[in-house]
Amino acid sequence: QNMTGRSLTQTQIALSALAVALTGVVLWQALKRREQANKSSAEEKDLHSTRTRGADNAVDGMTGGLSTPKASSSSSSSSGKTTPASAGEKTPLHSNARSQQTKDHLKIEEIDRRGKSLFKEKKFAEAAEAFTEAIDLIDEQYGDGPEMDLNVGLSRQLITLMNNRSAMYEKGKMYDLALSDCDAILARQPSHQKARNRRLRILESQNRYRDAIVEVCALQLQFMQENRDKLRMGIPLTPPVSQNKIEELMGHILPEEIEKCLAKVKAEQKKRPLPSKHTILQLLQSFSGYSAWMAQAAKSGSVSSLTGDLDKFQGDTADAKAEKVGILLARGRRYAYDQTFEKASADFEAAMSIVEDGGNDVVQRLEGDSHARLLEWVGMSRHLRYDLDGALQCYEACADLEPTNTELLVKRAGVKMDAGKHDDALQLFESALGMDPDAVDALLHRANLNMLLAKPAEAKADLSRLLDLRPDHLLARLRLATVLVNEGDLDEAKRCLDLAEDIDPNSSEVHSYRGEMLFAQGNFADARAKFDKAIACETGNPTPYVNAALAVMNTASTTGGPPDVADAISLLEKAIAVDPQFHAAYVHLGQLKLSMATDLQTAREVVALYDKGLEFCRTAEELKDIVSMRLLTLAQVDAASLLKMETLSMQ
């Protein structure tokens, strides 16, 4: 949320990639060492001769296929000499079978040569028919009988012929037949890379991107299994599928998935719970009127006294309704003062319902600015629930009552920001600053928007102007420190944080920012200490828990071994416990749990974790992270099942 606290800094985003690399589970990050050095142009590189590999324009050979058996008319004596069989010795019963195998083998070789010749002539359909003839011959003679099971060479030969035929089907654009052969090959040999690559190409050409990403995961998992020792040692290797290809496939899948999730978010926005106390306080405290609101709430009386007053007004007259609205508004503000925000929201909405039902008769009887303040509080409550249309409606109605209130313009701009309407937000900020060039709320929140838009110079200018007006503005100091860190000016960033700590030595955010700066310098141990201090200052702030987990994943254990993944998982679980809507915690926790899963059922439970995280996502950007991880997790689990793997762990 743009107005309720900072998003992840660039340092944290970089840490995300590093943490993923450590887990070895996020395929498009873990295997991003380098792009393929040599790209083969045609399937002809795939194709080999039956007897000699590498023949020009040859079809994939029959590795380990049947060789012509030698005559068995002689046997070896214990001395190593070869002697003829005695006249009275019976011919072994299996000699006829061997003779038949030899004939079959020769016939298959003849058909194979014919298929290759047709391939060279680009007669792909006829070549496929030739390979089919050879396959049928094997099926007729051996089928799925014991000879096939026992004869490894025969099985390999059958796989090679099916792969050759599949290649011809692909070249002839008979894609369904090509896929059918790929399926048959992979059923016999799940690790057959050529068949899987062909299946990937065809699925992609048919826009079957979800199935294609499963094939990508299968290729990557097989690669990681075969090279696990080298990967652990950090030896650069060329992955079987490039980073760009994975991103391309995900780019086809994500928009539709995100759109579906956004539609669900909009449909359920009125049922959504409020954010955590920490998030709500971050929003309220970002406005200069916060102290005045809280002072007014404290003077209005306790919850119990206001509840007693409310019980006195049960009548149905316009006067009684107006009195009830005033008391509900006062009690709602008192609930907010006590940080009981759900009850505060309920009172504001109850008062709003009375006003809407009573119309002008009730509105005209409200005291002072009660109507405007009710609209403002309901607008904030709805904004926090991500009911953006409802929030904007309240703010605009309030602005009609108070057209020169710059704070309302800033709040309207915040709704526009969350709706992704950045140009509209900038116009509202301009209007606010046009009314009052010293409007600190407008300067702060416009700086937030410029940071989101990657305009650090504009953000820095607004924050500097704000601090000239209000040197003790804590949030502005922290935002400026973020800009300075991203500019690489660590000395000035440290000075900025020193001033922030002077303003509030017990600020959780100040210590969390200090930890991030230490992390950026590679000082993970001291960074962890600062994150721990931030947690101690405010246990409800989820950010230092996540940052501490990332610090753990970049620190060797006390024995010099790998990072303490269990500790990192515990910290991420605590982040979710204090703020179930903190989506970054779900992303990192899912990655770590997936890497530690000892079986596929446990891996599937990670999908359930992502589903929980999706319930709380509010923006397309938040959805993108978790939807991506969920799709890849499902694809990896499906790929592992295809490869007959029992776990995704590379341990």
Side-chain angles (χ1 to χ4, degrees):
Q1 303 171 60
N2 64 73
M3 300 171 66
T4 58
R6 61 198 162 85
S7 55
L8 290 177
T9 64
Q10 289 183 0
T11 298
Q12 288 171 292
I13 293 169
L15 298 182
S16 172
L18 185 50
V20 171
L22 287 168
T23 65
V25 295
V26 184
L27 297 174
W28 66 25
Q29 291 170 314
L31 299 174
K32 197 177 178 181
R33 299 207 180 257
R34 59 191 172 110
E35 294 296 322
Q36 284 184 311
N38 300 311
K39 295 183 178 180
S40 75
S41 54
E43 280 87 353
E44 292 174 359
K45 190 173 180 181
D46 260 356
L47 309 174
H48 305 280
S49 168
T50 301
R51 293 187 175 180
T52 56
R53 295 289 182 181
D56 291 342
N57 294 325
V59 183
D60 189 10
M62 295 174 278
T63 307
L66 287 173
S67 58
T68 307
K70 295 180 180 179
S72 57
S73 59
S74 62
S75 61
S76 298
S77 67
S78 59
S79 63
K81 297 179 181 178
T82 302
T83 57
S86 357
E89 209 172 297
K90 294 185 179 179
T91 303
L93 293 175
H94 59 269
S95 63
N96 289 336
R98 286 189 178 179
S99 176
Q100 184 59 46
Q101 284 184 4
T102 301
K103 291 179 182 178
D104 292 341
H105 177 84
L106 294 173
K107 188 170 183 179
I108 289 169
E109 282 193 337
E110 179 187 344
I111 298 171
D112 181 69
R113 285 192 295 271
R114 177 159 37 99
K116 293 187 182 78
S117 177
L118 291 166
F119 165 69
K120 290 177 183 178
E121 298 172 14
K122 299 188 181 301
K123 297 179 179 179
F124 304 125
E126 291 90 334
E129 289 179 7
F131 294 126
T132 298
E133 185 180 344
I135 292 168
D136 289 345
L137 178 61
I138 293 176
D139 285 342
E140 290 170 6
Q141 294 296 326
Y142 307 102
D144 293 325
E147 294 90 345
M148 181 66 76
D149 293 335
L150 294 173
N151 195 317
V152 176
L154 186 63
S155 180
R156 287 177 179 171
Q157 190 174 34
L158 179 60
I159 288 174
T160 299
L161 288 166
M162 286 192 292
N163 189 54
N164 291 345
R165 184 173 66 177
S166 179
M168 297 304 98
Y169 284 148
E170 182 185 14
K171 284 186 170 293
K173 303 187 184 305
M174 294 175 277
Y175 297 124
D176 289 343
L177 292 173
L179 285 176
S180 179
D181 271 349
C182 288
D183 291 342
I185 293 166
L186 294 169
R188 290 178 174 273
Q189 187 180 331
S191 62
H192 198 287
Q193 188 168 341
K194 291 176 183 176
R196 202 165 291 285
N197 271 314
R198 182 171 295 114
R199 182 172 166 77
L200 169 58
R201 286 195 302 271
I202 295 172
L203 291 172
E204 186 181 2
S205 72
Q206 296 179 332
N207 299 333
R208 294 168 59 182
Y209 302 116
R210 288 175 179 275
D211 293 332
I213 204 70
V214 173
E215 298 303 326
V216 167
C217 289
L219 288 165
Q220 300 285 57
L221 285 173
Q222 183 182 332
F223 169 81
M224 292 167 71
Q225 283 280 20
E226 293 171 352
N227 297 279
R228 65 172 71 187
D229 292 335
K230 293 179 181 178
L231 289 170
R232 286 171 182 164
M233 291 186 289
I235 298 173
L237 297 171
T238 300
V241 182
S242 73
Q243 169 78 6
N244 290 340
K245 174 56 65 179
I246 297 170
E247 291 177 350
E248 181 185 338
L249 290 173
M250 290 298 289
H252 288 295
I253 302 170
L254 279 176
E256 181 182 353
E257 281 297 310
I258 291 172
E259 194 62 35
K260 284 164 52 178
C261 290
L262 278 175
K264 186 176 180 181
V265 166
K266 189 170 183 179
E268 298 178 355
Q269 60 192 11
K270 294 183 180 179
K271 303 176 185 176
R272 296 174 69 86
L274 289 172
S276 67
K277 287 183 181 180
H278 173 78
T279 298
I280 295 173
L281 285 172
Q282 286 283 97
L283 170 62
L284 296 179
Q285 292 170 0
S286 71
F287 291 100
S288 55
Y290 173 74
S291 296
W293 301 339
M294 294 302 100
Q296 186 179 16
K299 292 177 183 177
S300 62
S302 66
V303 168
S304 58
S305 65
L306 290 167
T307 301
D309 292 341
L310 190 62
D311 292 338
K312 298 175 185 177
F313 297 97
Q314 298 298 329
D316 207 27
T317 66
D319 287 331
K321 289 180 178 179
E323 288 286 352
K324 191 172 183 179
V325 167
I327 296 170
L328 284 169
L329 174 60
R331 191 175 70 172
R333 285 191 293 213
R334 181 65 200 209
Y335 275 133
Y337 177 86
D338 295 336
Q339 298 182 20
T340 313
F341 294 114
E342 283 288 354
K343 290 183 177 180
S345 176
D347 272 1
F348 296 143
E349 290 290 353
M352 191 68 180
S353 294
I354 294 173
V355 169
E356 289 174 343
D357 291 341
N360 286 333
D361 286 346
V362 173
V363 170
Q364 291 171 359
R365 288 170 171 77
L366 294 176
E367 295 182 359
D369 65 349
S370 293
H371 188 207
R373 298 289 72 77
L374 176 61
L375 287 166
E376 186 175 16
W377 277 103
V378 173
M380 282 194 287
S381 176
R382 292 179 179 177
H383 188 182
L384 287 165
R385 293 187 192 279
Y386 224 67
D387 178 4
L388 301 184
D389 292 338
L392 193 60
Q393 183 181 6
C394 288
Y395 286 147
E396 288 176 345
C398 188
D400 290 340
L401 300 175
E402 299 177 340
T404 60
N405 187 332
T406 58
E407 195 172 283
L408 288 172
L409 288 170
V410 173
K411 289 175 179 175
R412 288 165 62 190
V415 176
K416 295 290 187 180
M417 287 170 65
D418 280 340
K421 298 178 180 179
H422 297 154
D423 289 341
D424 291 349
L426 285 171
Q427 288 179 6
L428 287 165
F429 287 133
E430 290 292 336
S431 297
L433 290 166
M435 292 181 188
D436 180 4
D438 296 339
V440 295
D441 295 340
L443 290 169
L444 176 67
H445 290 281
R446 188 171 69 174
N448 288 345
L449 176 55
N450 281 321
M451 290 169 71
L452 288 172
L453 296 176
K455 296 180 178 179
E458 291 87 340
K460 188 175 182 180
D462 279 346
L463 294 168
S464 297
R465 168 68 177 152
L466 192 163
L467 289 169
D468 287 341
L469 297 167
R470 288 271 306 276
D472 63 342
H473 200 296
L474 179 63
L475 286 177
R477 290 281 176 203
L478 295 175
R479 296 293 192 276
L480 183 56
T482 299
V483 174
L484 293 168
V485 168
N486 290 338
E487 287 181 346
D489 191 349
L490 298 184
D491 290 338
E492 190 61 25
K494 183 179 182 302
R495 190 185 75 82
C496 202
L497 290 177
D498 289 341
L499 292 170
E501 190 167 357
D502 290 341
I503 298 169
D504 186 357
N506 296 315
S507 167
S508 175
E509 289 294 292
V510 169
H511 298 297
S512 189
Y513 271 70
R514 284 195 183 280
E516 290 173 30
M517 194 167 72
L518 288 165
F519 198 112
Q521 296 170 314
N523 191 343
F524 305 126
D526 288 348
R528 171 67 191 274
K530 289 297 181 184
F531 295 142
D532 287 344
K533 189 170 182 179
I535 292 168
C537 288
E538 185 184 350
T539 57
N541 182 357
T543 302
Y545 290 102
V546 174
N547 286 343
L550 295 174
V552 168
M553 290 306 298
N554 285 273
T555 306
S557 68
T558 54
T559 59
D564 189 346
V565 178
D567 186 22
I569 286 176
S570 175
L571 286 163
L572 292 168
E573 288 175 338
K574 288 176 183 176
I576 291 174
V578 300
D579 187 353
Q581 300 186 27
F582 199 62
H583 90 285
Y586 290 97
V587 174
H588 295 302
L589 182 59
Q591 293 169 10
L592 291 184
K593 285 198 167 186
L594 194 64
S595 73
M596 299 299 289
T598 56
D599 55 69
L600 293 186
Q601 180 54 41
T602 306
R604 291 185 183 96
E605 292 171 5
V606 174
V607 178
L609 174 70
Y610 288 140
D611 286 338
K612 180 182 176 184
L614 286 173
E615 293 176 9
F616 299 112
C617 287
R618 298 166 183 254
T619 67
E621 197 60 33
E622 289 179 352
L623 285 166
K624 181 180 179 181
D625 292 336
I626 298 184
V627 169
S628 298
M629 298 309 305
R630 185 182 184 278
L631 286 170
L632 281 174
T633 301
L634 282 170
Q636 288 179 85
V637 170
D638 289 345
S641 298
L642 291 176
L643 293 170
K644 305 189 185 309
M645 293 170 57
E646 296 181 356
T647 179
L648 294 173
S649 176
M650 295 293 113
Q651 303 298 320

